[in-house]
Amino acid sequence: MTVTLMQLRRQVRTRIGVPLSDQFQSPEVIDDAIMIALNTFESEARWPWQETTAAPSVTGEAATFDVPADWMATRSIFLDDDEIVPVSTSDILQWPTTDHGRPQVYALVDTVVHIRPFPDGAYTFTHLYYRTASSLINDEDVVRMPDQFTPTIVSKAAEVLSLRGDDRGLAAAHLADYLQGVGRARREARRISGPIRTRVRDGSWI
């Protein structure tokens, strides 16, 4: 994971064939296209490099904790070696307030994790979650994905910029390259870490 925003910008500029002096496809416009491409690619699946952990704690006075700022989706929550079971929001909200003990279940309400039973003491959890795409602002900011997948980001950014220039034929070619790159990334990620979960439509995970 060594590719920087500056390197991506150069690759995109080379891909679409625009000079440094081009004002229509300016560095700011190219950077916006890169971020669109990065977010699109990261939403295609739950990639292994998106996984990370946090260690939230609760006490007997609180039965909730906030998800991290870079949270996108929860994979699992553990208390020591025991996995806490996800349940529906209605189950959590209807849980008797008099029920205290070792937490066993959880539910997400917006960006807050509610655990039940209400804790009878202090507990620290391991929250395994998928984080959002890297935010690339400075030239030296590094893309958080394996380097072999960054050409796919370049293809998508080139598609976005080609559409901006109303060159639909070239945009279609870049899109085809992007989709092939996504397929290669899925196969490689599956080879490394086992089956991945694919996002099939906006707002829906399978």
Side-chain angles (χ1 to χ4, degrees):
M1 301 184 187
T2 61
V3 177
T4 65
L5 174 60
M6 178 181 288
Q7 291 171 318
L8 270 180
R9 191 187 304 126
R10 288 173 178 169
Q11 292 174 30
V12 172
R13 194 185 300 277
T14 300
R15 178 73 181 259
I16 62 176
V18 297
L20 288 171
S21 58
D22 192 288
Q23 295 301 308
F24 182 67
Q25 308 286 27
S26 65
E28 294 78 14
V29 170
I30 293 175
D31 288 357
D32 286 345
I34 288 171
M35 283 308 304
I36 291 171
L38 186 58
N39 282 300
T40 301
F41 180 75
E42 293 281 26
S43 70
E44 297 283 0
R46 292 179 177 177
W47 304 106
W49 57 84
Q50 292 175 311
E51 293 183 18
T52 190
T53 60
S57 297
V58 299
T59 67
E61 286 136 16
T64 64
F65 59 85
D66 294 331
V67 299
D70 62 351
W71 173 87
M72 182 175 66
T74 293
R75 177 170 179 177
S76 55
I77 299 176
F78 287 86
L79 179 55
D80 299 325
D81 293 330
D82 300 322
E83 184 171 2
I84 306 301
V85 179
V87 296
S88 69
T89 301
S90 61
D91 286 342
I92 283 289
L93 296 180
Q94 295 174 19
W95 204 281
T97 57
T98 55
D99 186 12
H100 289 73
R102 179 181 172 87
Q104 298 177 6
V105 301
Y106 78 92
L108 271 161
V109 182
D110 294 326
T111 58
V112 178
V113 179
H114 294 248
I115 60 170
R116 297 292 188 272
F118 290 86
D120 56 0
Y123 292 95
T124 298
F125 302 88
T126 299
H127 183 191
L128 179 60
Y129 68 97
Y130 296 92
R131 54 190 169 183
T132 55
S134 316
S135 180
L136 304 180
I137 300 172
N138 302 309
D139 285 349
E140 64 274 13
D141 288 345
V142 176
V143 182
R144 193 173 55 226
M145 68 171 56
D147 293 352
Q148 66 263 37
F149 301 142
T150 54
T152 306
I153 304 303
V154 173
S155 296
K156 185 63 180 180
E159 181 209 355
V160 172
L161 294 169
S162 296
L163 287 172
R164 183 172 187 267
D166 203 28
D167 191 335
R168 298 188 178 279
L170 196 54
H174 293 315
L175 175 59
D177 287 346
Y178 168 74
L179 294 175
Q180 289 180 0
V182 170
R184 286 192 297 270
R186 284 178 177 153
R187 291 191 294 273
E188 181 64 14
R190 190 176 295 113
R191 184 185 68 81
I192 294 171
S193 62
I196 60 174
R197 300 188 66 184
T198 303
R199 190 174 185 179
V200 295
R201 67 182 72 87
D202 288 344
S204 174
W205 295 87
I206 61 170

